[in-house]
Amino acid sequence: LLGILGIGGARAGLASDELSAFPYHIFAPADDIGAVGMGGEGEAEATPLLQQLTEQTHESLLAATLLARRSAARMSLPLIVVRAETDTAATAADLRQGRAIANLERAAANLTAAAARLGTRAQVLAVTLDYVLEDVSGDPIAYRDGILALMERITRSLGALGFSRPVFLAGFDCGTHRITTGPALHGQWELSWNHGDHQLVFTAPSYAFAMDDTGRLTDEGRRAKADLSAEALLAVQSGAKWLCPTIQLAERAGNDIRLICEAADSLVIDASDPFGAGPNAGFRLDGVTNGAKIKKVEIDPKDRRVVILRCSKRPEGAVEVAYAFGAAPNDGPYPANAGALRDGWGQGGLHRWALPARLTLTEGA
């Protein structure tokens, strides 16, 4: 009996009113709450029973994608229990000790009880994290430390039930149509390279997913997110590393700028610009004092993991290079922070898009 658990703020509790594609294989604990959970409004019940779903969350859609892949390969279809718990915690530190985490721990206990009743064992496939903009601590490091503490508590709670260390799946939040910068968005960057010994996987930047004017994923956006989450999880399960292209260094190269990236495959500037990032593919120069501008964005033909920003002249000043970060607000349907940089991986129309970044321009070697 497999489990996919999730925790986050209010936006993590969204669901579409539709039946599951695998109604006899995807369940929730039989407490008449469903896949979304308690929403922080009460304590979940202990139960060894399961019930079918009447709504589809990111977690249940992720489960459906995994089952669809197994079905297409003519493999057996396991039973999967899903539950996402949320509350109104104002900071990541509060989320670690609120109703949502207590109810998530109850869901994990219910998973083990259901497995025992079925005469089988239980396994948690992944724990999804969806909590960024809800954090109002105003401190990127406090946000990072709060999420680290949250993952530690979940790891220990699952360990006490006999589960192994979980895979944590998180989308890299890019903000909304109106919110394009802020401490929590900065804190994600800190978390991306400093998450201790937790297996934290950033599945995709959220600019790849359509959202409504309240900053919540549309049904289409939620499904796209679930599909990429499934690809990331399958990669990890196979022993591979899921790595969205990550810009690590911005250095001068004459009048131009070289961006050194960590990537699992050769980089691509997507000419179709599916998220409306504009002619500079989502790149911007801040702090320029001499009017230098980006003329062209291209991939270095000698090193396909390097992006070159061709500039009108040598940028002067305390220059910072931004990608999919701090953009001017727009009207959607994708977040204002968007880009067109990805790697060469593709699966059924899905791509692995680069994470947002903001780096200080340094002198080249």
Side-chain angles (χ1 to χ4, degrees), residues 237-251:
Q237 288 178 331
S238 69
K241 184 178 181 181
W242 180 266
L243 177 63
C244 295
T246 305
I247 305 170
Q248 296 185 321
L249 178 66
E251 62 180 19

Side-chain angles (χ1 to χ4, degrees), residues 77 79 98 146 155 158 177 197 273 330:
L77 302 184
L79 305 182
T155 298
L158 293 181
H177 306 156
D197 59 354
D273 190 17
N330 67 15

